[in-house]
Amino acid sequence: MKKRTVAAVVGAVLGAAVVATPAHAQDVKLGLMAAISGPIAALAPPMAAASRLAVTHVNEQGGILKGGKLEAVLGDSACNPQNATDVATKAVNIDRVIAVVGPACSGAVLASANSVTIPAGVLMITPSGTSPEITKLKDKDLVYRTLPSDDYQGRALARTLKARGISKVAVAYLNNDYGKGLAESFKAEFEANGGTLAGYSGHEEGKASYRSELATLARGGADTLVIFDYGDGTGLSILRQSLENNFFKTFVGADGMKSEGLVKAIGAANLGGFFVSAPVGEASASLDNFNKAFKAAGENIDAVFATTSYDAAFLAALAIEKAGGDKAKLAESLRAVASAPGEPILAGEWAKAKKLIAEGKDIDYKGAGGDHEFDAAGDVPGNYAFFKVSGTGYESIADMK
Amino acid sequence: MDLLGLANYAVFMAILIGIYALLALGLNIQWGFTGLFNAGIAGFFAIGAYASAILTSLPASGRLGGYELPLVVGWLASMVAAAAIAWPIGKICLRFRSDYLAIATIGIAEIIRLVIRTEGWLTGGVRGVTGIPRPFGDLDYMPSQVAYLAIVATLVLIAYLLVERQVKAPWGRMMRAIRDNELAAAAMGKQVEARRLQAFVFGSALMGLAGALFVHFNRSVTPEAIDPMIATFLIWIMLILGGSGNNRGAILGAAVIWIIWSVSELLTDRLPTEVAVQAKYARVFIIGLTLQLVLRFRPEGILPERQAGSPPHR
């Protein structure tokens, strides 16, 4: 009796789910696999909003294919493989998406690409998965990302420091895929170029004091501390406690440390020896387009991964348009619309792109977060600059090679 | 919406239900029959996952592994490793009364998670292990999923039959005696501590096997998979809802909770986009509410423990 009740409830739930909205012939669905719940929940809403903005641009400027609408299906990948594979399976099989943007976390990308999207032949573009492991996926050319692997930035930063005459540093990294990924590639490149690491240690986030870790690092005798952490989180504590105790003279951070909150909290006057590396968009006109539209939508333009989320969705739409909605041609089309040569397309210029594609002309999308010239593994090289603190913000002082 | 897609989704759900059913069966041995409150399921899940991953994956620089051993070896090793780690833990912690054991196991799961995250030479650290083989992984999407489901279903069936047989045997009655009245059981000459340790080790081995099945399905494992929400508490809810002390209940609970967890998202997707982000939290709420309702109206679970002879008294 009870069993039957349960079966009936489950059946009803399934049944209700099956009564999905009917799709029109030319409508195309795009899966957005944001990490809405879970450890990076705070980052997810602006990322989803940025991807949706791209979808809005497509639909406002003539729609996709022959008068169809691009529809975004939002799923919660929760930053873990269990939920990510589940949400990818639903997107691919129930909503019949032909491309997905996301998931946000690298582990979720690896699992859902391996078990769902690659076997199903669905294009995946992640806006925030930075693990070097994603490069190694056997992906049938179906997995891409719109931000560089952690490898690029760590290596570029190591070369820049060497070029600036710094050859002995201590490294403190946050023990997650971001911090550790950067630290490992930095270490490899720095040591290969003859640099010395006087200290190298990871730390867990959210502790009240890091003085003992910092004291150990300082004992190595380096003047420079390289911090791979977030400037709005633990990185701020590390920097503050190093300054208070005079452990180091110079501090270098990666993009996560480039926070204006940090400058406000510590004060520019105390940050003369603080430098950060951060990605810079070459096509700044594209970034302006995006910022204007994103601000008009009532969102914060400084949100992390917002530009890459927009670009991922916009690129997916361009690839679908170029491929004429044919799933099998998506990867090839994505490479065609993203790579030079071709007429440059900036963020938000859907109508122009659609017209050029219809005329059979080659286009090259210059995104808000970078040019997105994919290499053979579907990765993008980074454009990084070296910044110093200036006023309440940051000022670029050199390009990084 | 077409039938093939629906079938694919159903097969995927069935695979995950199978994996969760193994976890729930493992917990049922520990809690349902022996009364051990293990709140560190995620830890044993992780040990099994990494043990099999390290033994069967392709070689990679910077971490242990790349032995490319056959799958069966990896799966056996996952059970042995989980059991081997459960043994000393049980030896020390099982002397505690149930609530202290719960606190100790939460701590142990956290230690295991941190070791996996930090000891890069062993586990690949936060980058995890990739290049793990998947049986029949070279087939097309649908056949490969069906083949994997067959493997998972077979293992769940074997585990179910073995556990069921063991529980019906005198061993099972002894375990229940220990659970319900430890002093009386000890007075009858039963070795309470040794028996509890047995249950703890057997249950953990099943959890380890579930971990191995999960990583081979995804061909990768990262520390993100060891999230207590999804790898400990969800399984507790499955067992409580299905009926602790009843193996069929454990499997049914896994199915019901995973279906609610997964399908509720399809329902919240029908809500307007303005609340789409907030709506994602609805399923966490639904699961919590389900547990509350079950505890209030049917504390013994959907399929209660079968009591021979005497009326249910718990």
Side-chain angles (χ1 to χ4, degrees):
Chain A
M1 188 60 211
K2 286 285 178 185
K3 235 188 280 185
R4 215 169 294 159
T5 324
V6 172
V9 170
V10 171
V13 171
L14 269 172
V18 167
V19 187
T21 39
H24 298 291
Q26 284 287 326
D27 283 2
V28 177
K29 285 184 175 178
L30 177 67
L32 304 182
M33 294 163 50
I36 294 168
S37 59
I40 63 158
L43 304 180
M47 287 172 68
S51 294
R52 279 191 190 283
L53 180 66
V55 173
T56 311
H57 282 163
V58 169
N59 289 333
E60 276 173 356
Q61 300 179 30
I64 200 158
L65 303 177
K66 292 193 183 70
K69 287 251 176 279
L70 184 62
E71 195 190 321
V73 184
L74 186 66
D76 178 17
S77 64
C79 204
N80 68 49
Q82 288 93 333
N83 280 321
T85 49
D86 180 48
V87 82
T89 304
K90 280 184 278 195
V92 166
N93 292 305
I94 303 293
D95 293 308
R96 311 300 285 171
V97 303
I98 59 173
V100 297
V101 172
C105 298
S106 299
V109 171
L110 292 171
S112 54
N114 269 327
S115 67
V116 188
T117 61
I118 297 172
V122 167
L123 182 73
M124 173 186 276
I125 310 177
T126 173
S128 55
T130 54
S131 167
E133 296 291 334
I134 296 173
T135 308
K136 296 190 227 152
L137 275 175
K138 288 194 198 71
D139 62 0
K140 299 183 190 155
D141 212 21
L142 284 167
V143 180
Y144 295 82
R145 49 181 155 189
T146 51
L147 82 174
S149 154
D150 288 334
D151 247 11
Y152 283 99
Q153 189 178 183
R155 289 182 187 278
L157 187 58
R159 289 190 292 270
T160 306
L161 290 191
K162 277 297 290 174
R164 296 176 75 84
I166 299 172
S167 57
K168 192 175 182 187
V169 299
V171 175
Y173 62 89
L174 179 64
N175 197 12
N176 68 3
D177 55 345
Y178 170 78
K180 189 158 189 184
L182 277 170
E184 278 175 2
S185 53
F186 176 86
K187 181 173 185 247
E189 187 78 11
F190 198 66
E191 287 179 340
N193 286 331
T196 316
L197 290 188
Y200 181 79
S201 78
H203 51 261
E204 296 301 318
E205 64 188 324
K207 295 208 299 184
S209 168
Y210 293 93
R211 285 187 187 85
S212 62
E213 284 98 328
L214 287 166
T216 312
L217 285 172
R219 230 170 279 145
D223 280 343
T224 305
L225 177 67
V226 182
I227 308 169
F228 294 118
D229 203 327
Y230 301 106
D232 293 322
T234 312
L236 176 61
S237 317
I238 299 257
L239 186 57
R240 192 199 299 270
Q241 289 168 13
S242 307
L243 283 166
E244 282 167 1
N245 296 284
N246 204 15
F247 284 133
F248 295 95
K249 290 192 179 64
T250 310
F251 300 91
V252 179
D255 54 349
M257 288 296 284
K258 185 168 170 277
S259 142
E260 294 189 2
L262 183 147
V263 179
K264 206 178 281 172
I266 297 185
N270 302 318
L271 289 171
F274 178 58
F275 303 92
V276 289
S277 69
V280 280
E282 265 190 338
S284 60
S286 185
L287 183 60
D288 290 345
N289 281 0
F290 168 78
N291 283 348
K292 219 162 91 192
F294 204 46
K295 204 176 218 169
E299 299 284 342
N300 174 15
I301 55 169
D302 291 325
V304 197
F305 303 131
T307 53
T308 52
S309 298
Y310 178 90
D311 289 347
F314 203 83
L315 277 168
L318 285 172
I320 293 167
E321 180 78 23
K322 175 91 178 170
D326 183 354
K327 199 161 113 178
K329 288 191 198 149
L330 274 182
E332 184 194 327
S333 309
L334 178 63
R335 287 188 179 279
V337 296
S339 328
E343 183 75 18
I345 298 293
L346 306 184
E349 296 186 331
W350 177 259
K352 182 178 165 193
K354 190 175 167 71
K355 188 161 156 286
L356 288 169
I357 290 173
E359 288 167 4
K361 292 203 176 112
D362 198 9
I363 60 169
D364 176 17
Y365 179 63
K366 304 266 184 206
D371 279 357
H372 305 313
E373 302 286 330
F374 295 112
D375 67 9
D379 284 350
V380 289
N383 295 308
Y384 288 94
F386 206 56
F387 292 82
K388 67 168 186 176
V389 176
S390 160
T392 59
Y394 295 85
E395 185 190 331
S396 160
I397 49 173
D399 280 340
M400 287 166 51
K401 297 229 159 37
Chain B
M1 175 71 51
D2 61 340
L3 286 175
L4 190 68
L6 213 60
N8 252 334
Y9 174 48
V11 171
F12 171 81
M13 273 208 293
I15 293 172
L16 277 194
I17 289 170
I19 292 170
Y20 274 104
L22 276 178
L23 288 166
L25 280 175
L27 183 62
N28 200 22
I29 298 177
Q30 297 177 343
W31 169 249
F33 300 122
T34 322
L36 305 173
F37 199 109
N38 181 359
I41 303 167
F44 300 104
F45 174 81
I47 288 167
Y50 274 92
S52 188
I54 288 168
L55 288 176
T56 60
S57 61
L58 301 172
S61 64
R63 65 164 169 80
L64 201 66
Y67 301 112
E68 296 186 72
L69 292 174
L71 277 178
V72 180
V73 177
W75 291 355
L76 286 175
S78 70
M79 296 174 76
V80 172
I85 296 202
W87 189 79
I89 292 171
K91 198 81 183 149
I92 298 165
C93 298
L94 290 182
R95 287 176 298 156
F96 297 137
R97 311 258 353 144
S98 61
D99 32 0
Y100 294 101
L101 179 66
I103 294 166
T105 46
I106 288 180
I108 285 153
E110 192 63 8
I111 292 169
I112 292 170
R113 193 180 68 84
L114 285 176
V115 167
I116 286 171
R117 277 175 67 98
T118 4
E119 298 304 316
W121 61 272
L122 177 66
T123 60
V126 287
R127 287 189 191 178
V129 180
T130 51
I132 304 168
R134 171 168 162 184
F136 306 108
D138 296 332
L139 299 180
D140 281 344
Y141 185 33
M142 179 90 187
S144 137
Q145 284 217 87
V146 172
Y148 206 83
L149 175 61
I151 295 173
V152 172
T154 312
L155 288 172
V156 171
L157 185 68
I158 293 172
Y160 166 77
L161 291 175
L162 288 179
V163 175
E164 192 73 349
R165 188 180 152 73
Q166 187 74 340
V167 163
K168 286 208 177 107
W171 188 84
R173 285 196 296 277
M174 176 177 62
M175 290 320 235
R176 275 184 293 231
I178 291 173
R179 177 194 68 192
D180 290 341
N181 196 333
E182 197 184 315
L183 285 177
M188 301 287 281
K190 305 299 177 198
Q191 294 170 297
V192 174
E193 276 187 22
R195 296 302 170 188
R196 282 174 149 186
L197 188 58
Q198 268 181 350
F200 192 68
V201 168
F202 285 154
S204 300
L206 277 185
M207 292 170 186
L209 179 64
L213 287 177
F214 183 70
V215 300
H216 287 276
F217 182 54
N218 290 327
R219 289 200 181 100
S220 64
V221 57
T222 55
E224 290 154 4
I226 322 168
D227 177 8
M229 171 68 211
I230 194 100
T232 296
F233 299 116
L234 205 58
I235 296 136
W236 267 100
I237 296 171
M238 287 167 175
L239 184 65
I240 301 288
L241 179 103
S244 75
N246 184 322
N247 288 323
R248 278 183 227 172
I251 296 171
L252 179 70
V256 170
I257 291 292
W258 187 258
I259 289 171
I260 295 178
W261 179 261
S262 178
V263 173
S264 59
E265 191 175 26
L266 293 175
L267 295 180
T268 57
D269 280 352
R270 310 289 158 229
L271 294 170
T273 52
E274 293 78 50
V275 294
V277 170
Q278 288 86 336
K280 296 298 172 192
Y281 287 95
R283 60 180 175 166
V284 182
F285 171 74
I286 291 171
I287 295 283
L289 185 68
T290 313
L291 182 64
Q292 289 293 324
L293 291 175
V294 167
L295 285 177
R296 168 66 187 80
F297 295 106
R298 203 173 162 81
E300 67 275 28
I302 302 172
L303 297 179
E305 181 176 358
R306 279 162 295 180
Q307 298 277 354
S310 66
H313 53 80
R314 280 201 305 146

